[in-house]
Amino acid sequence: MDWEQVLRQAVIPVASAYVVFLAILASYRRQRTAGAAPKPSGPGPTWRDLVRYLVNTALGGYAVFLLIVAVFYLVLGGQSPRLLREALVEGAALAFGIVIPAFLAISWLYDRRR
């Protein structure tokens, strides 16, 4: 590989992702310092709220994961579309078949222990 290929296929995508990440952090910091959030007055979050939050977070993270795979491997790397299919299936199995159930089980055990 010559330096132009390295720049185009590695440096620019990684630097772009880093800039987006920094923008997200800056936005989050502005929201947090804009004012303190009011304290909730009712009962705490329910298990249904936790499951909904976890599923939404996992779906968003899964979508970003697939986007990264598509951009880095298919568009920039010229890999086979089979890789995206594998990422789709195996990523879903990991996120929704192992990680979320394990997190909920550990949370349930922690809640029972308290």
Side-chain angles (χ1 to χ4, degrees):
M1 277 188 153
D2 63 352
W3 68 272
E4 289 176 4
Q5 285 179 316
V6 171
L7 185 66
R8 184 171 41 95
Q9 293 183 358
V11 175
I12 292 174
V14 171
S16 300
Y18 184 66
V19 167
V20 169
F21 178 71
L22 288 179
I24 290 169
L25 286 178
S27 172
Y28 176 75
R29 184 171 184 212
R30 274 195 305 272
Q31 288 176 354
R32 296 287 292 177
T33 58
K39 302 236 184 225
S41 59
T46 64
W47 277 97
R48 182 178 176 160
D49 295 334
L50 176 63
V51 170
R52 185 180 314 122
Y53 176 77
L54 283 177
V55 169
N56 288 335
T57 302
L59 283 173
Y62 183 62
V64 170
F65 163 72
L66 288 179
L67 179 68
I68 290 169
V69 168
V71 169
F72 278 92
Y73 289 99
L74 300 178
V75 176
L76 299 174
Q79 299 292 323
S80 166
R82 186 175 131 235
L83 183 69
L84 187 60
R85 190 171 45 249
E86 289 174 1
L88 181 73
V89 172
E90 294 171 13
L94 178 64
F96 302 104
I98 296 173
V99 174
I100 290 178
F103 186 85
L104 288 172
I106 291 169
S107 297
W108 180 80
L109 287 172
Y110 178 78
D111 197 35
R112 295 299 249 170
R113 189 171 175 202
R114 278 193 317 161

mmCIF file of all heavy atoms in Angstrom, residues 37-73:
data_model
loop_
_atom_site.group_PDB
_atom_site.id
_atom_site.type_symbol
_atom_site.label_atom_id
_atom_site.label_comp_id
_atom_site.label_asym_id
_atom_site.label_seq_id
_atom_site.Cartn_x
_atom_site.Cartn_y
_atom_site.Cartn_z
ATOM 1 N N ALA A 37 -30.951 18.437 36.119
ATOM 2 C CA ALA A 37 -32.237 17.803 35.859
ATOM 3 C C ALA A 37 -33.031 17.751 37.160
ATOM 4 O O ALA A 37 -32.468 17.541 38.234
ATOM 5 C CB ALA A 37 -32.032 16.399 35.315
ATOM 6 N N PRO A 38 -34.344 17.943 37.088
ATOM 7 C CA PRO A 38 -35.144 17.855 38.303
ATOM 8 C C PRO A 38 -35.158 16.431 38.835
ATOM 9 O O PRO A 38 -35.094 15.474 38.083
ATOM 10 C CB PRO A 38 -36.538 18.287 37.838
ATOM 11 C CG PRO A 38 -36.545 18.060 36.372
ATOM 12 C CD PRO A 38 -35.139 18.229 35.915
ATOM 13 N N LYS A 39 -35.210 16.331 40.125
ATOM 14 C CA LYS A 39 -35.238 15.012 40.756
ATOM 15 C C LYS A 39 -36.618 14.390 40.538
ATOM 16 O O LYS A 39 -37.638 15.053 40.690
ATOM 17 C CB LYS A 39 -34.965 15.140 42.251
ATOM 18 C CG LYS A 39 -33.646 15.791 42.529
ATOM 19 C CD LYS A 39 -32.827 14.905 43.388
ATOM 20 C CE LYS A 39 -31.551 15.647 43.715
ATOM 21 N NZ LYS A 39 -30.408 14.903 43.590
ATOM 22 N N PRO A 40 -36.647 13.099 40.187
ATOM 23 C CA PRO A 40 -37.943 12.449 40.018
ATOM 24 C C PRO A 40 -38.668 12.364 41.361
ATOM 25 O O PRO A 40 -38.062 12.107 42.388
ATOM 26 C CB PRO A 40 -37.600 11.062 39.475
ATOM 27 C CG PRO A 40 -36.147 10.866 39.725
ATOM 28 C CD PRO A 40 -35.543 12.224 39.898
ATOM 29 N N SER A 41 -39.966 12.576 41.323
ATOM 30 C CA SER A 41 -40.727 12.601 42.568
ATOM 31 C C SER A 41 -41.456 11.289 42.843
ATOM 32 O O SER A 41 -41.874 11.036 43.945
ATOM 33 C CB SER A 41 -41.744 13.748 42.533
ATOM 34 O OG SER A 41 -42.615 13.563 41.432
ATOM 35 N N GLY A 42 -41.618 10.461 41.832
ATOM 36 C CA GLY A 42 -42.357 9.217 41.997
ATOM 37 C C GLY A 42 -41.432 8.050 42.284
ATOM 38 O O GLY A 42 -40.266 8.212 42.624
ATOM 39 N N PRO A 43 -41.981 6.845 42.132
ATOM 40 C CA PRO A 43 -41.149 5.653 42.342
ATOM 41 C C PRO A 43 -40.077 5.563 41.255
ATOM 42 O O PRO A 43 -40.175 6.172 40.199
ATOM 43 C CB PRO A 43 -42.142 4.496 42.236
ATOM 44 C CG PRO A 43 -43.291 5.040 41.470
ATOM 45 C CD PRO A 43 -43.347 6.508 41.764
ATOM 46 N N GLY A 44 -39.047 4.780 41.526
ATOM 47 C CA GLY A 44 -37.933 4.638 40.589
ATOM 48 C C GLY A 44 -38.354 3.893 39.334
ATOM 49 O O GLY A 44 -39.504 3.499 39.162
ATOM 50 N N PRO A 45 -37.404 3.694 38.429
ATOM 51 C CA PRO A 45 -37.705 3.005 37.182
ATOM 52 C C PRO A 45 -38.122 1.553 37.436
ATOM 53 O O PRO A 45 -37.659 0.918 38.389
ATOM 54 C CB PRO A 45 -36.395 3.070 36.406
ATOM 55 C CG PRO A 45 -35.363 3.567 37.326
ATOM 56 C CD PRO A 45 -36.040 4.135 38.517
ATOM 57 N N THR A 46 -38.975 1.056 36.581
ATOM 58 C CA THR A 46 -39.464 -0.318 36.704
ATOM 59 C C THR A 46 -38.624 -1.239 35.818
ATOM 60 O O THR A 46 -37.805 -0.790 35.021
ATOM 61 C CB THR A 46 -40.930 -0.407 36.261
ATOM 62 O OG1 THR A 46 -41.010 -0.076 34.867
ATOM 63 C CG2 THR A 46 -41.810 0.538 37.072
ATOM 64 N N TRP A 47 -38.866 -2.535 35.966
ATOM 65 C CA TRP A 47 -38.173 -3.500 35.106
ATOM 66 C C TRP A 47 -38.560 -3.296 33.652
ATOM 67 O O TRP A 47 -37.742 -3.467 32.756
ATOM 68 C CB TRP A 47 -38.506 -4.930 35.549
ATOM 69 C CG TRP A 47 -37.631 -5.334 36.694
ATOM 70 C CD1 TRP A 47 -37.927 -5.284 38.019
ATOM 71 C CD2 TRP A 47 -36.284 -5.790 36.598
ATOM 72 N NE1 TRP A 47 -36.852 -5.692 38.754
ATOM 73 C CE2 TRP A 47 -35.841 -6.019 37.906
ATOM 74 C CE3 TRP A 47 -35.431 -6.031 35.544
ATOM 75 C CZ2 TRP A 47 -34.563 -6.486 38.178
ATOM 76 C CZ3 TRP A 47 -34.158 -6.505 35.811
ATOM 77 C CH2 TRP A 47 -33.732 -6.717 37.112
ATOM 78 N N ARG A 48 -39.789 -2.921 33.423
ATOM 79 C CA ARG A 48 -40.231 -2.651 32.049
ATOM 80 C C ARG A 48 -39.443 -1.478 31.448
ATOM 81 O O ARG A 48 -39.031 -1.521 30.289
ATOM 82 C CB ARG A 48 -41.728 -2.355 32.041
ATOM 83 C CG ARG A 48 -42.280 -2.123 30.685
ATOM 84 C CD ARG A 48 -43.773 -1.880 30.756
ATOM 85 N NE ARG A 48 -44.252 -1.559 29.434
ATOM 86 C CZ ARG A 48 -45.494 -1.651 29.065
ATOM 87 N NH1 ARG A 48 -46.394 -2.057 29.910
ATOM 88 N NH2 ARG A 48 -45.848 -1.336 27.852
ATOM 89 N N ASP A 49 -39.217 -0.437 32.258
ATOM 90 C CA ASP A 49 -38.409 0.700 31.809
ATOM 91 C C ASP A 49 -36.985 0.260 31.478
ATOM 92 O O ASP A 49 -36.406 0.692 30.481
ATOM 93 C CB ASP A 49 -38.367 1.793 32.872
ATOM 94 C CG ASP A 49 -39.722 2.416 33.141
ATOM 95 O OD1 ASP A 49 -40.569 2.398 32.226
ATOM 96 O OD2 ASP A 49 -39.924 2.909 34.261
ATOM 97 N N LEU A 50 -36.420 -0.603 32.326
ATOM 98 C CA LEU A 50 -35.063 -1.093 32.105
ATOM 99 C C LEU A 50 -34.971 -1.893 30.809
ATOM 100 O O LEU A 50 -34.066 -1.685 30.003
ATOM 101 C CB LEU A 50 -34.591 -1.951 33.282
ATOM 102 C CG LEU A 50 -33.218 -2.606 33.111
ATOM 103 C CD1 LEU A 50 -32.125 -1.547 32.988
ATOM 104 C CD2 LEU A 50 -32.934 -3.550 34.266
ATOM 105 N N VAL A 51 -35.918 -2.790 30.585
ATOM 106 C CA VAL A 51 -35.913 -3.604 29.365
ATOM 107 C C VAL A 51 -36.062 -2.707 28.140
ATOM 108 O O VAL A 51 -35.333 -2.870 27.146
ATOM 109 C CB VAL A 51 -37.013 -4.680 29.418
ATOM 110 C CG1 VAL A 51 -37.176 -5.366 28.072
ATOM 111 C CG2 VAL A 51 -36.712 -5.697 30.508
ATOM 112 N N ARG A 52 -36.976 -1.761 28.195
ATOM 113 C CA ARG A 52 -37.175 -0.847 27.071
ATOM 114 C C ARG A 52 -35.899 -0.051 26.790
ATOM 115 O O ARG A 52 -35.472 0.093 25.652
ATOM 116 C CB ARG A 52 -38.340 0.101 27.348
ATOM 117 C CG ARG A 52 -38.666 0.994 26.161
ATOM 118 C CD ARG A 52 -39.817 1.948 26.410
ATOM 119 N NE ARG A 52 -40.974 1.317 27.028
ATOM 120 C CZ ARG A 52 -41.502 1.703 28.185
ATOM 121 N NH1 ARG A 52 -40.998 2.732 28.840
ATOM 122 N NH2 ARG A 52 -42.549 1.086 28.677
ATOM 123 N N TYR A 53 -35.268 0.445 27.845
ATOM 124 C CA TYR A 53 -34.026 1.197 27.698
ATOM 125 C C TYR A 53 -32.918 0.329 27.088
ATOM 126 O O TYR A 53 -32.209 0.759 26.179
ATOM 127 C CB TYR A 53 -33.592 1.741 29.065
ATOM 128 C CG TYR A 53 -32.273 2.442 29.041
ATOM 129 C CD1 TYR A 53 -32.167 3.732 28.540
ATOM 130 C CD2 TYR A 53 -31.121 1.814 29.508
ATOM 131 C CE1 TYR A 53 -30.944 4.384 28.509
ATOM 132 C CE2 TYR A 53 -29.906 2.454 29.477
ATOM 133 C CZ TYR A 53 -29.824 3.737 28.975
ATOM 134 O OH TYR A 53 -28.620 4.377 28.940
ATOM 135 N N LEU A 54 -32.779 -0.897 27.585
ATOM 136 C CA LEU A 54 -31.739 -1.790 27.069
ATOM 137 C C LEU A 54 -31.963 -2.140 25.604
ATOM 138 O O LEU A 54 -31.028 -2.150 24.808
ATOM 139 C CB LEU A 54 -31.690 -3.072 27.896
ATOM 140 C CG LEU A 54 -31.021 -2.982 29.245
ATOM 141 C CD1 LEU A 54 -31.118 -4.315 29.975
ATOM 142 C CD2 LEU A 54 -29.578 -2.574 29.095
ATOM 143 N N VAL A 55 -33.198 -2.441 25.248
ATOM 144 C CA VAL A 55 -33.489 -2.801 23.860
ATOM 145 C C VAL A 55 -33.231 -1.611 22.938
ATOM 146 O O VAL A 55 -32.616 -1.759 21.870
ATOM 147 C CB VAL A 55 -34.928 -3.330 23.721
ATOM 148 C CG1 VAL A 55 -35.334 -3.462 22.268
ATOM 149 C CG2 VAL A 55 -35.054 -4.679 24.425
ATOM 150 N N ASN A 56 -33.669 -0.424 23.329
ATOM 151 C CA ASN A 56 -33.423 0.760 22.505
ATOM 152 C C ASN A 56 -31.928 1.050 22.360
ATOM 153 O O ASN A 56 -31.450 1.374 21.273
ATOM 154 C CB ASN A 56 -34.135 1.984 23.079
ATOM 155 C CG ASN A 56 -35.618 1.928 22.882
ATOM 156 O OD1 ASN A 56 -36.113 1.272 21.967
ATOM 157 N ND2 ASN A 56 -36.356 2.592 23.748
ATOM 158 N N THR A 57 -31.193 0.926 23.456
ATOM 159 C CA THR A 57 -29.755 1.149 23.414
ATOM 160 C C THR A 57 -29.067 0.108 22.534
ATOM 161 O O THR A 57 -28.199 0.436 21.718
ATOM 162 C CB THR A 57 -29.159 1.114 24.830
ATOM 163 O OG1 THR A 57 -29.802 2.117 25.618
ATOM 164 C CG2 THR A 57 -27.662 1.351 24.819
ATOM 165 N N ALA A 58 -29.463 -1.154 22.679
ATOM 166 C CA ALA A 58 -28.862 -2.220 21.878
ATOM 167 C C ALA A 58 -29.194 -2.049 20.399
ATOM 168 O O ALA A 58 -28.333 -2.276 19.536
ATOM 169 C CB ALA A 58 -29.326 -3.580 22.378
ATOM 170 N N LEU A 59 -30.425 -1.666 20.081
ATOM 171 C CA LEU A 59 -30.789 -1.451 18.677
ATOM 172 C C LEU A 59 -29.978 -0.310 18.057
ATOM 173 O O LEU A 59 -29.491 -0.427 16.925
ATOM 174 C CB LEU A 59 -32.281 -1.164 18.543
ATOM 175 C CG LEU A 59 -33.217 -2.358 18.659
ATOM 176 C CD1 LEU A 59 -34.668 -1.897 18.688
ATOM 177 C CD2 LEU A 59 -32.978 -3.337 17.530
ATOM 178 N N GLY A 60 -29.814 0.786 18.791
ATOM 179 C CA GLY A 60 -29.010 1.892 18.291
ATOM 180 C C GLY A 60 -27.550 1.494 18.112
ATOM 181 O O GLY A 60 -26.931 1.789 17.078
ATOM 182 N N GLY A 61 -26.994 0.812 19.078
ATOM 183 C CA GLY A 61 -25.614 0.349 18.979
ATOM 184 C C GLY A 61 -25.428 -0.658 17.867
ATOM 185 O O GLY A 61 -24.416 -0.650 17.149
ATOM 186 N N TYR A 62 -26.410 -1.525 17.684
ATOM 187 C CA TYR A 62 -26.363 -2.531 16.616
ATOM 188 C C TYR A 62 -26.408 -1.864 15.245
ATOM 189 O O TYR A 62 -25.669 -2.253 14.331
ATOM 190 C CB TYR A 62 -27.534 -3.488 16.805
ATOM 191 C CG TYR A 62 -27.583 -4.636 15.832
ATOM 192 C CD1 TYR A 62 -26.570 -5.569 15.782
ATOM 193 C CD2 TYR A 62 -28.655 -4.777 14.969
ATOM 194 C CE1 TYR A 62 -26.618 -6.625 14.900
ATOM 195 C CE2 TYR A 62 -28.718 -5.829 14.087
ATOM 196 C CZ TYR A 62 -27.693 -6.749 14.058
ATOM 197 O OH TYR A 62 -27.751 -7.789 13.182
ATOM 198 N N ALA A 63 -27.226 -0.838 15.111
ATOM 199 C CA ALA A 63 -27.301 -0.109 13.841
ATOM 200 C C ALA A 63 -25.970 0.585 13.536
ATOM 201 O O ALA A 63 -25.487 0.550 12.391
ATOM 202 C CB ALA A 63 -28.440 0.906 13.875
ATOM 203 N N VAL A 64 -25.346 1.180 14.544
ATOM 204 C CA VAL A 64 -24.042 1.827 14.346
ATOM 205 C C VAL A 64 -22.987 0.774 13.999
ATOM 206 O O VAL A 64 -22.153 0.985 13.113
ATOM 207 C CB VAL A 64 -23.634 2.640 15.595
ATOM 208 C CG1 VAL A 64 -22.194 3.106 15.507
ATOM 209 C CG2 VAL A 64 -24.572 3.813 15.770
ATOM 210 N N PHE A 65 -23.031 -0.368 14.651
ATOM 211 C CA PHE A 65 -22.115 -1.465 14.352
ATOM 212 C C PHE A 65 -22.235 -1.893 12.892
ATOM 213 O O PHE A 65 -21.229 -2.037 12.193
ATOM 214 C CB PHE A 65 -22.408 -2.635 15.295
ATOM 215 C CG PHE A 65 -21.828 -3.947 14.858
ATOM 216 C CD1 PHE A 65 -20.458 -4.181 14.937
ATOM 217 C CD2 PHE A 65 -22.642 -4.962 14.381
ATOM 218 C CE1 PHE A 65 -19.928 -5.392 14.537
ATOM 219 C CE2 PHE A 65 -22.118 -6.172 13.980
ATOM 220 C CZ PHE A 65 -20.746 -6.391 14.067
ATOM 221 N N LEU A 66 -23.455 -2.085 12.417
ATOM 222 C CA LEU A 66 -23.656 -2.477 11.020
ATOM 223 C C LEU A 66 -23.188 -1.391 10.058
ATOM 224 O O LEU A 66 -22.617 -1.689 9.007
ATOM 225 C CB LEU A 66 -25.114 -2.820 10.765
ATOM 226 C CG LEU A 66 -25.611 -4.123 11.376
ATOM 227 C CD1 LEU A 66 -27.083 -4.327 11.061
ATOM 228 C CD2 LEU A 66 -24.791 -5.299 10.879
ATOM 229 N N LEU A 67 -23.410 -0.139 10.414
ATOM 230 C CA LEU A 67 -22.943 0.959 9.578
ATOM 231 C C LEU A 67 -21.414 0.967 9.486
ATOM 232 O O LEU A 67 -20.847 1.144 8.405
ATOM 233 C CB LEU A 67 -23.454 2.294 10.130
ATOM 234 C CG LEU A 67 -23.033 3.534 9.363
ATOM 235 C CD1 LEU A 67 -23.699 3.551 7.989
ATOM 236 C CD2 LEU A 67 -23.418 4.776 10.138
ATOM 237 N N ILE A 68 -20.754 0.747 10.597
ATOM 238 C CA ILE A 68 -19.293 0.697 10.605
ATOM 239 C C ILE A 68 -18.793 -0.461 9.744
ATOM 240 O O ILE A 68 -17.869 -0.306 8.944
ATOM 241 C CB ILE A 68 -18.755 0.596 12.047
ATOM 242 C CG1 ILE A 68 -18.981 1.904 12.779
ATOM 243 C CG2 ILE A 68 -17.279 0.202 12.070
ATOM 244 C CD1 ILE A 68 -18.725 1.839 14.262
ATOM 245 N N VAL A 69 -19.407 -1.634 9.896
ATOM 246 C CA VAL A 69 -19.014 -2.783 9.084
ATOM 247 C C VAL A 69 -19.219 -2.477 7.605
ATOM 248 O O VAL A 69 -18.348 -2.746 6.768
ATOM 249 C CB VAL A 69 -19.797 -4.047 9.504
ATOM 250 C CG1 VAL A 69 -19.608 -5.172 8.490
ATOM 251 C CG2 VAL A 69 -19.358 -4.504 10.882
ATOM 252 N N ALA A 70 -20.363 -1.896 7.273
ATOM 253 C CA ALA A 70 -20.654 -1.594 5.872
ATOM 254 C C ALA A 70 -19.662 -0.593 5.298
ATOM 255 O O ALA A 70 -19.132 -0.791 4.201
ATOM 256 C CB ALA A 70 -22.086 -1.067 5.734
ATOM 257 N N VAL A 71 -19.369 0.455 6.033
ATOM 258 C CA VAL A 71 -18.473 1.489 5.510
ATOM 259 C C VAL A 71 -17.036 0.994 5.429
ATOM 260 O O VAL A 71 -16.390 1.089 4.383
ATOM 261 C CB VAL A 71 -18.552 2.777 6.369
ATOM 262 C CG1 VAL A 71 -17.439 3.739 6.013
ATOM 263 C CG2 VAL A 71 -19.907 3.429 6.182
ATOM 264 N N PHE A 72 -16.523 0.426 6.507
ATOM 265 C CA PHE A 72 -15.117 0.059 6.533
ATOM 266 C C PHE A 72 -14.809 -1.159 5.667
ATOM 267 O O PHE A 72 -13.789 -1.191 4.991
ATOM 268 C CB PHE A 72 -14.640 -0.195 7.964
ATOM 269 C CG PHE A 72 -14.289 1.069 8.678
ATOM 270 C CD1 PHE A 72 -15.224 1.729 9.442
ATOM 271 C CD2 PHE A 72 -13.027 1.604 8.569
ATOM 272 C CE1 PHE A 72 -14.907 2.903 10.097
ATOM 273 C CE2 PHE A 72 -12.694 2.781 9.220
ATOM 274 C CZ PHE A 72 -13.638 3.431 9.990
ATOM 275 N N TYR A 73 -15.652 -2.170 5.691
ATOM 276 C CA TYR A 73 -15.321 -3.396 4.988
ATOM 277 C C TYR A 73 -15.857 -3.448 3.567
ATOM 278 O O TYR A 73 -15.191 -3.938 2.671
ATOM 279 C CB TYR A 73 -15.798 -4.612 5.777
ATOM 280 C CG TYR A 73 -14.967 -4.826 7.006
ATOM 281 C CD1 TYR A 73 -15.411 -4.394 8.248
ATOM 282 C CD2 TYR A 73 -13.719 -5.416 6.922
ATOM 283 C CE1 TYR A 73 -14.634 -4.567 9.368
ATOM 284 C CE2 TYR A 73 -12.936 -5.595 8.042
ATOM 285 C CZ TYR A 73 -13.394 -5.173 9.266
ATOM 286 O OH TYR A 73 -12.627 -5.329 10.370
#
